[in-house]
Amino acid sequence: MNMLRHYFISNNLDDLEVFEEQLEAAGISTPQLHVLSRNDAEVEHHRHLHEVQSFMKNDIVHSTELGAVVGLCAFVLVLAVAYLAGWTKSAVGWMPFIFLAIVLLGFCTWEGGLLGIQKPNHNFARFEDALKDGKHIFFVDLEPNQEAVLAKVLKFHPQVQLAGTGSSTPHWLIALQQKLGVIRHS
């Protein structure tokens, strides 16, 4: 089932808290709702707001994946060069080249993650100006049959402005979070 993420911008956390509570009361689960803000302390005072985990504010996951792709290319390149150059037919055989390929794969993956720690999440980059201006980004991951619920609740929140859509957290991960009850702070 394809879910769609809806992004909203607001400068009023009190209104966003009511917005989230109304969405939850209408059947949208907590793992589908998130608030991104530069003012974490203020978000923390709004107990019903589900903030974005600090780990996800950075681009570590995406950058690690990109690093792994580069590492996989390096892995294949090392083994291909070793084979085509005939080096594997010598007394040393394949082992040093396999080891080098594994080291390059690991290094590139690690380096990608390290670079990702230093960058904001690529999904949130378009909101940097709004975040710098002290605004808050609220986003909700919706299944197609939940779109009407959002439209209905949104009518009561004129300060919450639609800021676009994007790809969502996978449905299976949201379902897992619901079953485990992982994401709600007390």
Side-chain angles (χ1 to χ4, degrees):
M1 182 178 297
N2 287 338
M3 297 181 78
L4 184 64
R5 177 170 288 172
H6 297 267
Y7 293 97
F8 301 93
I9 295 177
S10 177
N11 58 2
N12 186 335
L13 284 176
D14 294 327
D15 188 41
L16 285 179
E17 187 171 31
V18 172
F19 185 47
E20 181 168 323
E21 289 172 348
Q22 290 173 342
L23 287 171
E24 288 174 333
I28 308 294
S29 68
T30 303
Q32 293 174 259
L33 307 165
H34 304 275
V35 173
L36 175 66
S37 177
R38 289 263 172 95
N39 191 345
D40 292 334
E42 193 175 330
V43 173
E44 192 70 31
H45 290 318
H46 292 80
R47 293 194 153 287
H48 294 284
L49 286 176
H50 175 222
E51 60 191 310
V52 174
Q53 297 170 344
S54 59
F55 178 78
M56 296 307 295
K57 291 180 181 179
N58 298 328
D59 204 36
I60 190 167
V61 173
H62 181 250
S63 294
T64 299
E65 290 171 347
L66 291 177
V69 169
V70 170
L72 189 59
C73 292
F75 182 93
V76 170
L77 182 65
V78 165
L79 295 181
V81 167
Y83 175 75
L84 295 174
W87 298 335
T88 59
K89 295 177 184 169
S90 69
V92 294
W94 279 98
M95 282 313 276
F97 303 106
I98 291 172
F99 180 73
L100 176 60
I102 290 170
V103 168
L104 285 174
L105 173 63
F107 177 77
C108 291
T109 303
W110 171 78
E111 186 65 27
L114 190 62
L115 292 172
I117 289 172
Q118 302 169 29
K119 296 184 337 185
N121 188 312
H122 70 284
N123 291 318
F124 307 141
R126 61 182 156 165
F127 303 114
E128 279 301 307
D129 290 338
L131 290 167
K132 285 179 187 173
D133 291 342
K135 294 183 179 175
H136 316 285
I137 310 303
F138 183 88
F139 56 96
V140 57
D141 297 326
L142 294 177
E143 297 175 17
N145 62 345
Q146 295 175 318
E147 296 284 338
V149 171
L150 175 64
K152 182 179 176 183
V153 173
L154 190 57
K155 290 178 183 178
F156 299 105
H157 299 275
Q159 292 181 337
V160 178
Q161 301 171 345
L162 181 63
T165 59
S167 60
S168 172
T169 300
H171 182 267
W172 64 267
L173 184 57
I174 290 174
L176 180 65
Q177 288 176 335
Q178 285 173 315
K179 288 185 183 196
L180 296 176
V182 173
I183 48 86
R184 189 50 118 180
H185 56 60
S186 302

